[in-house]
Amino acid sequence: MGNVWIDSGWLIPLYPLLGALLSVPWSPAFIKKSGPRPAGYINLLTTLVGLAHSLLALQAIWGQPPLHWQFTWFQVAELSIQIPFTLSSLTLGAATVIMGLNLLVQVYAIGYMEMDWGWARFYALLALFEGGMTALVFNDSLFFSYLLLEILTLGTYLLVGFWFNQSLVVTGARDAFLTKRVGDLVLLMAVIALYPLAGTWNFDELGVWAQTADLAPLTATLLGIALVAGPMGKCAQFPLQLWLDEAMEGPLPSTILRNAVVVSVGAWVLIRLTPVVALSPIAQDLAIVAGAATAVGGALIAAAQVDAKRVLSYLSSSFLGIVFIAVGAQQVGAAFFLLLTFAIAMATLVASAGSIILTCVTQDITQVGGLWSRRPVTGLCFAVGTLSFVGLPPLGNFWSLRTLLDGLWQAGDVWLVGVVLVANLVAGFALMRMFGLMFLGPVQTMSARAPEPIWLVVLPMTIFAALALHMPIILKWLALLPIVRIGDMGVLLLWSSVIGCAVGLLFYGLRKVEHPERILPGWLVNLLAYDFYTSKVYKNTVVLFVGSLATLSDWLDRYVIDGLVNFVGLASVIGGETLKYGNTGRSQFYVLTIALFVVLIGILMSWVALPASILSAG
C-alpha cells in the first residue's frame, strides 16, 4: 500500500519482546546498584512505541483491504510451513487495545509494586504477554496460533507463580498450568488432524474449505469438539473454570491484563474457527451449552463470593460464556464486538478493586465499607465499570449484548435470549452487591483509614474508566455502532440490568434486608459459595483416578519391573557363587559332572517319551 507504518507493521509484536530482552540486565544477578526500576521504564518506552506504531498503522489501513505476509518457517521435501500475518482494521484494532491496556497496566504496576524487587522479571513477563497476544491477533495460521497460546500459558504460569516463596502461589500456578493442559492436549489433536483434511492451517483458507467440505459426521463431530475444547480451557469455561480463580494469586496488575484480554485470546481463535466448528451441529451445541452453563453458573458463583478477586474472575468466565454462545449461534460479528467492550469494562473493575486492596490490605469485601466518602475517585471508577459491564445504555456492553440478542432473536434461539438476560441480571446483582459492601454502609475496621493510593495507581484507573465511559463515542467514530435505537431487545436488556442492579443495591447498599443471604436455603448458599463443589468433584473423580493410577504404576514399577530385574541379578549372583565351588580344576570331576547330567537328561527324555511308547504298543 506504500505506507511505511503498514509495510513495517510486522514489527509491532517485536517492540515488547525487545523490552523483555532489555530487562534482563536489571535482574538481581547483574546490575544491582541502580535497582530493578529501569527495567520497568524501558518496557514502558517500548510499549509506547508499539502503541504509536499500531495507531498510525490503524489510521492508514482503515477502510483499506487487508495486507498479507508470509514467512517460510520450515521446509523439508514437499512440506513447507509458512507463518502468515494479516494486517487489517480488525487485527490492528485488537493490537491497539492490547498495547493500550498493557501500557496502562505497566504504569499501574509502578505504583502498585513500588517496593517489589522483582520488577525486571515482572515487566519481562508482561512484555511476553503483550508480544504473544499481538502476534496472535496478527497471525493467520491455526498451527502458530496454537504455539502462541502455549507461550501465553507459560507466561500465565510464571506470572501466577511470581511470588514463588508462598505455598498458595505455587499451588495456584501449578493448578492453572495443569488445568489448561487438558484443553490444550485435545486442541493439539484437532490441529494435527485438520491439516490432512483441509490441506491448510490458514484461517481464511479454512473458511473457504469449510463451505464445500464433505466430512463424515463422526469426523466432523470429533474435530469440532476438539476445536471447542481447547478454547474452553483458555477461557475458563465450565468445567475447566477453576484455573482463573487460582490465577488470582499472582500480582494484581497482571490480573488486570489476564482478566481483560488474556482469557479472551482463546475466544479469538475460536471465533476465527467458526466456519469449521459449524460443520458439526454437535460441536456448535457444545459451545452453546458450555457457554450457557458458564454464563449463568459463573454469575451465580460470583454473587456468593466475599473475595473481590474471585467475584471478578467468575464474572470474566461468565461473560466469555456469552461469547461462546455467540460462536455456537454463528454470531461472529457480535462475538468480536463483545470481546472489545468486555476488555475495557473488566480492566476498569479490576483496577478499581486493586486500588482498594492496596490501601485496605484485604480482599474480603465484607471487611471494608463506607469507602465512598474516603475513596470517591475509586468509587466513581468502580461504578462506571459496573454500569459498563452490565447492559445499561448508552455504555459499551449494552450495544454489544444488544447486537447478540438481536441476532439470537432473529435466528429463533429464544431460550438463548433468556440465558443472556438471566446472566446479565445476575452479573448486575453481583457487581452492585460488591459496590454496596465496599462503598456504602458503615465504615469497617479495615477501611477506617483508607485514602486514595498513589497517583500512579489512580491515573491508569481513571483512564480505564474514561475509556469505558466514552466507549459509545469511540464506537460511533469507528463506525462500529450501527444501532441507534434501543429496540425491543434493548428494552429487555435494560430491564434485566436495572432489576439486577436494583436488587443488589437494595439488599447490600441500602441494607433494607438484614442478612439477605439467609433468604435462600443454606445448602444453596454453600453450593454457590463453594463453586458448585467443583474442586471436591475433581478431587473425588479425576484426582482420585490419576492418584490411584499413579499408585498402581508405582507398585508395578517397584515390585514387578524392579522385582524381575532384581530377581535376574540375584539369580546370577547365586548361580555364580554356587558354580564357583564346582570349579576344582580336576578333569575327573568335570567328566563326572558331564556324565551325571547326561544320565539325568536321558532319564528325563525317556520319561517324556514313555507314555507315547505305551500308547503305540497298546
Side-chain angles (χ1 to χ4, degrees):
M1 294 182 181
N3 186 288
V4 63
W5 303 114
I6 300 176
D7 294 340
S8 60
W10 59 274
L11 290 172
I12 294 175
L14 299 182
Y15 293 124
L17 298 183
L18 176 63
L21 184 63
L22 294 177
S23 299
V24 174
W26 277 275
S27 61
F30 297 100
I31 299 176
K32 300 180 180 180
K33 293 185 178 180
S34 67
R37 297 180 73 90
Y41 303 141
I42 290 173
N43 278 276
L44 273 173
L45 179 61
T46 55
T47 300
L48 183 61
V49 172
L51 176 61
H53 192 164
S54 61
L55 282 171
L56 291 170
L58 176 62
Q59 183 182 13
I61 207 171
W62 191 262
Q64 303 296 324
L67 182 64
H68 301 279
W69 282 300
Q70 275 195 348
F71 301 96
T72 299
W73 177 70
F74 182 77
Q75 185 168 4
V76 174
E78 297 181 358
L79 176 63
S80 179
I81 300 178
Q82 284 85 26
I83 306 177
F85 283 94
T86 299
L87 284 187
S88 64
S89 301
L90 177 63
T91 58
L92 280 168
T96 301
V97 171
I98 291 170
M99 288 200 155
L101 292 181
N102 197 63
L103 179 68
L104 294 174
V105 167
Q106 289 179 0
V107 176
Y108 191 96
I110 293 176
Y112 198 94
M113 303 178 65
E114 183 180 10
M115 305 303 294
D116 199 294
W117 275 80
W119 269 39
R121 181 160 49 93
F122 178 76
Y123 276 93
L125 292 175
L126 283 184
L128 177 66
F129 264 132
E130 182 184 357
M133 286 187 291
T134 50
L136 181 68
V137 297
F138 288 148
N139 173 53
D140 201 28
S141 167
L142 175 59
F143 177 75
F144 288 101
S145 293
Y146 178 82
L147 296 183
L148 290 168
L149 286 174
E150 293 305 287
I151 292 174
L152 293 175
T153 298
L154 175 62
T156 298
Y157 171 77
L158 295 174
L159 266 177
V160 175
F162 181 76
W163 292 311
F164 50 79
N165 59 335
Q166 302 177 25
S167 58
L168 286 178
V169 169
V170 175
T171 302
R174 179 202 64 194
D175 292 348
F177 187 79
L178 293 178
T179 303
K180 283 190 173 186
R181 298 277 65 74
V182 178
D184 292 346
L185 180 61
V186 181
L187 179 60
L188 178 60
M189 296 178 186
V191 173
I192 296 173
L194 186 58
Y195 190 82
L197 296 172
T200 181
W201 278 313
N202 185 284
F203 286 118
D204 294 333
E205 295 174 0
L206 285 174
V208 175
W209 166 79
Q211 294 176 2
T212 58
D214 185 18
L215 298 180
L218 179 60
T219 303
T221 298
L222 293 176
L223 182 64
I225 290 174
L227 291 175
V228 172
M232 281 177 61
K234 298 296 183 185
C235 298
Q237 298 296 287
F238 284 7
L240 303 175
Q241 81 281 5
L242 289 182
W243 76 264
L244 187 58
D245 176 44
E246 297 281 352
M248 297 299 107
E249 297 294 340
L252 191 133
S254 66
T255 301
I256 300 174
L257 198 62
R258 181 170 49 252
N259 274 31
V261 288
V262 174
V263 293
S264 301
V265 294
W268 175 278
V269 174
L270 182 62
I271 296 171
R272 301 293 303 274
L273 290 169
T274 301
V276 182
V277 175
L279 293 173
S280 170
I282 296 178
Q284 289 181 278
D285 292 341
L286 173 63
I288 290 174
V289 170
T294 309
V296 177
L300 287 171
I301 292 173
Q305 303 305 308
V306 297
D307 187 295
K309 285 185 175 183
R310 298 195 76 191
V311 174
L312 299 179
S313 72
Y314 279 107
L315 287 177
S316 296
S317 296
S318 174
F319 198 90
L320 289 174
I322 297 177
V323 177
F324 267 67
I325 292 175
V327 173
Q330 300 291 293
Q331 303 293 325
V332 177
F336 280 123
F337 199 179
L338 287 165
L339 290 182
L340 171 63
T341 56
F342 161 77
I344 304 300
M346 181 51 66
T348 306
L349 289 170
V350 180
S352 303
S355 171
I356 295 171
I357 293 171
L358 179 62
T359 54
C360 294
V361 202
T362 181
Q363 297 176 196
D364 192 335
I365 59 178
T366 63
Q367 294 182 0
V368 294
L371 284 173
W372 184 261
S373 59
R374 291 163 170 74
R375 307 288 295 276
V377 177
T378 302
L380 285 172
C381 290
F382 192 91
V384 169
T386 297
L387 300 179
S388 299
F389 190 87
V390 299
L392 278 173
L395 301 180
N397 265 0
F398 173 82
W399 302 111
S400 58
L401 288 171
R402 159 73 196 283
T403 303
L404 174 61
L405 289 175
D406 279 343
L408 294 176
W409 183 263
Q410 293 172 7
D413 298 321
V414 180
W415 76 277
L416 290 179
V417 172
V419 168
V420 174
L421 292 176
V422 170
N424 181 68
L425 186 150
V426 179
F429 171 82
L431 285 173
M432 196 54 68
R433 167 181 174 266
M434 187 174 174
F435 178 84
L437 288 173
M438 292 192 304
F439 294 99
L440 305 179
V443 176
Q444 304 289 335
T445 303
M446 302 298 290
S447 57
R449 300 182 64 182
E452 295 286 0
I454 187 173
W455 69 270
L456 288 166
V457 173
V458 175
L459 179 62
M461 178 182 66
T462 53
I463 294 177
F464 282 134
L467 288 173
L469 200 59
H470 291 82
M471 183 55 64
I473 300 175
I474 297 173
L475 293 174
K476 187 176 180 180
W477 179 66
L478 295 175
L480 296 176
L481 196 62
I483 304 171
V484 293
R485 295 182 300 105
I486 292 182
D488 295 337
M489 291 297 102
V491 172
L492 291 176
L493 183 61
L494 175 61
W495 274 110
S496 72
S497 302
V498 169
I499 292 172
C501 293
V503 173
L505 183 63
L506 181 67
F507 284 173
Y508 294 96
L510 302 179
R511 313 293 171 100
K512 295 296 184 181
V513 178
E514 190 73 18
H515 300 294
E517 65 276 2
R518 295 179 182 175
I519 298 175
L520 299 175
W523 65 268
L524 181 58
V525 174
N526 290 332
L527 182 68
L528 298 178
Y530 291 102
D531 317 335
F532 295 118
Y533 300 108
T534 307
S535 59
K536 289 187 177 181
V537 172
Y538 277 156
K539 184 177 180 180
N540 294 321
T541 54
V542 178
V543 176
L544 180 62
F545 173 74
V546 174
S548 302
L549 192 62
T551 302
L552 177 62
S553 176
D554 179 69
W555 184 87
L556 290 173
D557 185 61
R558 286 176 180 270
Y559 298 105
V560 177
I561 307 299
D562 284 354
L564 181 60
V565 173
N566 293 337
F567 173 76
V568 172
L570 185 61
S572 301
V573 171
I574 294 175
E577 290 293 327
T578 303
L579 289 174
K580 77 177 182 180
Y581 293 107
N583 295 329
T584 62
R586 297 180 180 181
S587 58
Q588 56 267 43
F589 182 80
Y590 296 147
V591 172
L592 176 61
T593 303
I594 293 171
L596 204 60
F597 275 96
V598 168
V599 171
L600 289 175
I601 292 173
I603 293 173
L604 179 61
M605 294 178 65
S606 300
W607 186 266
V608 172
L610 184 60
S613 301
I614 295 173
L615 290 174
S616 61

